[in-house]
Amino acid sequence: MYDLIVVGAGPAGYTAALYAKRYDLDVLVVGEDLGGLCNEAYIVENWPGTKEIEGNELMDRMKDQIEDLGVEVLQKRVDRIEGEDTFSVHVNGKIFETASVILALGADKRRLNIEGEKELVGKGVSYCVTCDGPLYRNKDVAVIGGADSGLKAAMLLAEYSDNVHVFEATDELKAEKIMIDRCRENNKIKLNCGMAPEKFVGDKFLERIVFQNGDEVEVDGAFIEIGSVPNESIKKIGNRKITRDEGGFIEVSPGLSTNVEGVFAAGDVTTASNKMRQIVTAAAEGAIAAYSAYSYVGEKDA
Ligand SMILES: Cc1cc2nc3c(=O)[nH]c(=O)nc-3n(C[C@H](O)[C@H](O)[C@H](O)COP(=O)(O)OP(=O)(O)OC[C@H]3O[C@@H](n4cnc5c(N)ncnc54)[C@H](O)[C@@H]3O)c2cc1C
């Protein structure tokens, strides 16, 4: 019987395990993809205390740190979780019992799924302006997506880049009027509607975007901002549905508890941290959720 099982082996899951272990809880981490989304982050430049580190290297270090403390990390998918007072976590035919659970399932950036996209990720194509924007200082960049996140990305990119072209596939921008006005007032930002990308072209690095209407635009970088898709691999605990918002993100309290007692959530999969989906916020949520799980287990034992 574990005190805590953490589902997810990204920054939220690993940090939750780190804190929980230091609170002396008996912890198991089960994660399908060890390292999580961070493995895709080519170079991370915003993890405090480390000027530059490859995403997978950072995650290997987090894993080493918790394993050194004695946390067991299992590379497997959790199929389902049953139980009410205590929980049974089903993993590939085996069952692990635990007093509490942290769901650190992550979210994925929505992809365009067009030619050249996969090949050029980290080579001009990016899903994270906060992470990669500073790499495009004095360059020409594109933002794909004209909703709020796209225009926010454009405003941020205009701090670094010379020309920021926003491309919205439909005939109108979907962002708040105030954001549209701000972008219109910024002479570095050019807003374009009715421009759906067909493919990204580049040999070693992105060179241009070809659009469905036949237009081509030369840029050094393209930021895809068409939303995030939360991981919904675990929707219920027993028969109780985990409450999610309309976008599928798990609704949490300030202490990161879910609607199911004893089940907490952390990282990109939650509605917390103002939905700022970053390594540092995922890690912070992991720490908070671990503290809540520790308090919960302590109260149960008392
Ligand atoms: C290309 C790219 C670059 C990025 N660059 C940066 C950057 O430079 N700086 C930054 O701060 N952020 C960056 N990010 C964002 C950052 O990667 C995420 O915010 C962070 O990884 C979220 O951590 P998480 O632990 O919440 O989720 P994730 O890292 O997504 O981890 C989720 C974990 O849950 C597991 N999981 C899901 N379902 C199950 C299941 N049923 N059973 C078992 N395991 C399961 C997954 O396998 C995975 O281990 C980048 C993102 C992308 C896509």
Side-chain angles (χ1 to χ4, degrees):
M1 178 78 166
Y2 288 94
D3 293 318
L4 170 67
I5 291 184
V6 179
V7 187
Y14 283 162
T15 312
L18 172 68
Y19 274 72
K21 189 69 189 175
R22 289 167 59 89
Y23 289 129
D24 211 20
L25 297 187
D26 203 2
V27 194
L28 171 69
V29 175
V30 189
E32 193 174 11
D33 170 23
L34 299 186
L37 198 57
C38 218
N39 288 332
E40 288 188 33
Y42 175 52
I43 301 282
V44 175
E45 294 182 299
N46 56 5
W47 177 250
T50 310
K51 280 189 190 160
E52 189 181 293
I53 186 167
E54 287 190 10
N56 51 2
E57 165 70 15
L58 177 61
M59 297 318 295
D60 285 349
R61 289 190 192 181
M62 287 193 195
K63 181 167 171 279
D64 278 354
Q65 191 176 5
I66 57 171
E67 283 180 332
D68 275 358
L69 289 174
V71 174
E72 211 185 320
V73 179
L74 194 62
Q75 184 172 16
K76 290 271 183 238
R77 179 186 173 82
V78 170
D79 301 315
R80 62 180 204 281
I81 305 175
E82 304 287 346
E84 277 183 21
D85 191 34
T86 60
F87 305 97
S88 310
V89 177
H90 292 247
V91 182
N92 198 22
K94 277 191 175 173
I95 299 173
F96 298 91
E97 301 293 337
T98 181
S100 66
V101 174
I102 293 178
L103 300 173
L105 307 172
D108 208 355
K109 289 285 178 133
R110 204 180 289 280
R111 318 274 158 162
L112 286 163
N113 292 321
I114 60 171
E115 196 181 321
E117 180 179 1
K118 211 170 163 191
E119 295 76 7
L120 291 167
V121 169
K123 299 169 191 158
V125 173
S126 170
Y127 300 91
C128 184
V129 171
T130 317
C131 327
D132 298 336
L135 305 174
Y136 293 87
R137 206 170 281 281
N138 306 325
K139 304 237 163 140
D140 290 352
V141 293
V143 174
I144 311 297
D148 283 325
S149 61
L151 296 205
K152 269 189 203 159
M155 292 294 293
L156 185 56
L157 282 166
E159 303 276 331
Y160 320 108
S161 309
D162 287 341
N163 290 300
V164 182
H165 307 270
V166 176
F167 296 109
E168 161 60 37
T170 66
D171 287 341
E172 59 175 351
L173 297 165
K174 303 275 187 329
E176 283 176 347
K177 187 175 173 306
I178 188 164
M179 283 305 296
I180 298 174
D181 290 346
R182 276 188 201 151
C183 285
R184 287 205 169 116
E185 283 159 18
N186 188 319
N187 59 15
K188 287 188 178 176
I189 300 175
K190 277 126 203 128
L191 302 171
N192 308 275
C193 286
M195 297 280 281
E198 188 176 80
K199 61 180 170 183
F200 293 112
V201 182
D203 188 10
K204 292 202 174 93
F205 215 80
L206 176 68
E207 290 161 17
R208 62 186 197 280
I209 308 171
V210 178
F211 290 86
Q212 286 174 14
N213 63 5
D215 286 358
E216 296 193 8
V217 178
E218 286 185 12
V219 284
D220 303 293
F223 290 85
I224 299 168
E225 286 290 345
I226 53 170
S228 278
V229 197
N231 181 297
E232 298 206 54
S233 59
I234 296 172
K235 291 189 170 167
K236 297 185 301 179
I237 307 289
N239 291 326
R240 286 165 302 166
K241 212 169 157 207
I242 300 161
T243 306
R244 293 181 178 247
D245 73 0
E246 68 288 349
F249 294 92
I250 298 179
E251 288 188 350
V252 283
S253 71
L256 302 182
S257 53
T258 69
N259 61 310
V260 180
E261 208 183 320
V263 177
F264 306 85
D268 282 10
V269 76
T270 76
T271 52
S273 298
N274 209 14
K275 294 191 177 175
M276 188 181 174
R277 301 190 181 99
Q278 291 284 283
I279 302 165
V280 76
T281 47
E285 288 183 36
I288 295 166
Y291 180 67
S292 297
Y294 161 70
S295 307
Y296 171 80
V297 171
E299 277 166 28
K300 267 187 91 179
D301 286 350

